[in-house]
Structures are given as structure tokens and as C-alpha cells.
């Protein structure tokens, strides 16, 4: 079954952003994963609206925007205007998650929920039918190039069953530490979307690496 591969711009060369976005346009990548960090929800700051707009200006593929920020409700329309097609908020950052998801959909975007490694996947059981994408964090959010957390497989299997039982159409995305070593097992466990930052951008030939990752599916 073909799956969605979403290289993460966080690992791109920001001094050559247009070049790297065009590289992704001309590759087998399906989406561009765009990580937004506020230095509060996570211990790192990435980039904001002007950079997302610059990415969108050159991107020919959907922008999958992952918000690692507190109080994301304040910025939903700004991210839509900056070009987000899929917008994911963190479960841990939302007091009224159901309301936030309705807000994202009302703006015409697909609504995603990202979940930290320590958060039980069961926390999504009451809301699974309202979610378009579940972003299962397989590292602690904040940085690229971290080590994959093995417990992710168990979470993905439980989530796959929850989606089936709940009549949900949610896609399962894995974010963090994805490589040629674990991609096949993650797809086998039930993942639909793989994010890959370091694996793609530290490769000698990123287009070839994308092609190799895609050939696993
Ligand atoms: C981590 C980010 C990830 C990151 C993945 O907080 O959400 O999207 O870019 O990078 P790798 O694939 O290098 O772990
Ligand atoms: Zn991410």
C-alpha cells in the first residue's frame, strides 16, 4: 500500500530554503512537514509566519504544519493564511481540543492532533472520529535527529484498532527518528504517514533517499 512521506523542513538548509523546497517538489515526497516551535511548549524555537509563507510560495505539495506551541487557538487563521493544508495541534496544549479541531476545519484545513510520547493514546478515544490526522510523536518534540522511541509500535497498534472501532478516517502519522531501519515496521504496525527530517536531509542524495523510503511502502 502506498504511504505518505512527509520530509521535515526543520532539517533543511534555511539559507537555501527555496532550493530545498524545489528539491522536494522534484522528488517522490508527498507532503512537506513544517515544524513550528515556540520555545515554551518545547525547549526550542524554529520559525514563524514569514518562513511558512516563503515555503508555500515555492511548494507544489501540501503543507503539513505541526504546531508545538501553547494556546494554538490564537493562530489558527494565521497559519491557514500562511498556507497550511493540514494543521496539527498538540493534545497537551489544548484545553478544549474538540473546539480547536472544529475551528481548524471551519477554516478549510484538515485537523490533526499530535501526541507526546508519555501521553496515553487512549486519551484520544472520545474524539477519534473528529480527527483527520493523528501525529504520534516518536521522540520528545523540540529537535530533529533524535533517537526513535520503541514504545511507538505499541501505540500505533492500539491507535489503529481505536480508529477502526470508532469508524474514524484518521490517518496515523509518525514523527521523529524515522529511518530505513524502522520505516517498514512502522508501516506494518499501521502507520499511513511517515515524517523524516534527518534521514532525508543528511543523506548525500536526498532525492534518492526519498525514493528509497517510498519504495518500502
Ligand atoms: C520534532 C519534530 C519533527 C522533526 C523530525 O520535534 O516534530 O518533525 O523534524 O526530525 P527527525 O526525522 O530528524 O527526527
Ligand atoms: Zn513534527
Amino acid at each position: 500500500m502506498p504511504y505518505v512521506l512527509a520530509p521535515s523542513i526543520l532539517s533543511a538548509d534555511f539559507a537555501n530554503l527555496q532550493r530545498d523546497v524545489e528539491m522536494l517538489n522534484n522528488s517522490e515526497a508527498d507532503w512537506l512537514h513544517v515544524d513550528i516551535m515556540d520555545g515554551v511548549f518545547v525547549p526550542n524555537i524554529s520559525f514563524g509566519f514569514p518562513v511558512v509563507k516563503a515555503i508555500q510560495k515555492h511548494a507544489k505539495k501540501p503543507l503539513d504544519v505541526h504546531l508545538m506551541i501553547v494556546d494554538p487557538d490564537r493562530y489558527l487563521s494565521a497559519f491557514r493564511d500562511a498556507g497550511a493544508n493540514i494543521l496539527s495541534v498538540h493534545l497537551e496544549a489544548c484545553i478544549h481540543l474538540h473546539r480547536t479541531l472544529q475551528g481548524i476545519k471551519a477554516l478549510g484545513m484538515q485537523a490533526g492532533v499530535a501526541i507526546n510520547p508519555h501521553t496515553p493514546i487512549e486519551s484520544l478515544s472520545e474524539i477519534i472520529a473528529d480527527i483527520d490526522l493523528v501525529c504520534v510523536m516518536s521522540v520528545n518534540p523540540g529537535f530533529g535527529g533524535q533517537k526513535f522511541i520503541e514504545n511507538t509500535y505499541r501505540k500505533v497498534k492500539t491507535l489503529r484498532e481505536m480508529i477502526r472501532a470508532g469508524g474514524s478516517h484518521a490517518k496515523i502519522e509518525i514523527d521523529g527518528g524515522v529511518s530505513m531501519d524502522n520505516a517498514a515496521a512502522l508501516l506494518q504496525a499501521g502507520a499511513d504517514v511517515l515524517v523524516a527530517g534527518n534521514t532525508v536531509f543528511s543523506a548525500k542524495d536526498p532525492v534518492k533517499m526519498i525514493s528509497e523510503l517510498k519504495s518500502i511502502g
Side-chain angles (χ1 to χ4, degrees):
M1 249 268 285
Y3 75 97
V4 173
L5 180 63
S8 173
I9 291 289
L10 189 66
S11 295
D13 177 357
F14 293 147
N16 287 288
L17 204 45
Q18 180 177 350
R19 181 201 66 190
D20 281 0
V21 170
E22 282 169 357
M23 178 276 287
L24 296 175
N25 286 342
N26 296 320
S27 76
E28 290 174 53
D30 300 286
W31 297 349
L32 275 59
H33 186 82
V34 179
D35 288 307
I36 308 294
M37 305 177 181
D38 67 354
V40 179
F41 183 74
V42 288
N44 193 13
I45 296 175
S46 57
F47 48 79
F49 303 115
V51 175
V52 180
K53 281 184 187 154
I55 294 166
Q56 195 230 6
K57 191 172 154 196
H58 299 289
K60 295 201 176 107
K61 300 181 179 183
L63 298 193
D64 168 36
V65 178
H66 174 196
L67 299 185
M68 286 159 273
I69 66 174
V70 296
D71 204 2
D73 299 86
R74 291 189 291 165
Y75 299 109
L76 301 183
S77 61
F79 279 107
R80 194 272 313 269
D81 295 345
N85 301 97
I86 304 142
L87 191 64
S88 296
V89 294
H90 261 269
L91 168 67
E92 300 84 2
C94 294
I95 297 171
H96 300 289
L97 181 61
H98 185 271
R99 179 180 289 151
T100 303
L101 296 179
Q102 303 312 315
I104 294 171
K105 289 181 193 171
L107 288 163
M109 296 176 285
Q110 290 190 52
V113 177
I115 181 163
N116 279 337
H118 77 277
T119 305
I121 202 73
E122 289 77 7
S123 309
L124 294 175
S125 63
E126 303 301 330
I127 201 164
I128 195 67
D130 298 288
I131 303 176
D132 296 313
L133 177 82
V134 179
C135 176
V136 179
M137 292 308 301
S138 40
V139 297
N140 288 297
F143 304 93
Q146 299 183 83
K147 190 177 176 303
F148 178 83
I149 296 172
E150 297 288 329
N151 186 54
T152 306
Y153 296 113
R154 200 191 58 75
K155 276 180 117 165
V156 171
K157 284 182 192 146
T158 308
L159 177 57
R160 179 48 65 208
E161 175 53 23
M162 189 194 299
I163 288 170
R164 195 199 57 75
S168 168
H169 64 265
K171 284 187 162 66
I172 302 177
E173 175 176 69
I174 311 299
D175 189 7
V178 171
S179 70
M180 288 297 283
D181 294 338
N182 54 25
L186 286 166
L187 295 171
Q188 183 66 35
D192 304 296
V193 184
L194 300 181
V195 174
N198 194 55
T199 295
V200 166
F201 284 96
S202 71
K204 219 184 259 160
D205 183 345
V207 171
K208 189 158 162 256
M209 176 54 74
I210 289 168
S211 180
E212 282 170 17
L213 282 166
K214 280 290 288 187
S215 71
I216 290 173

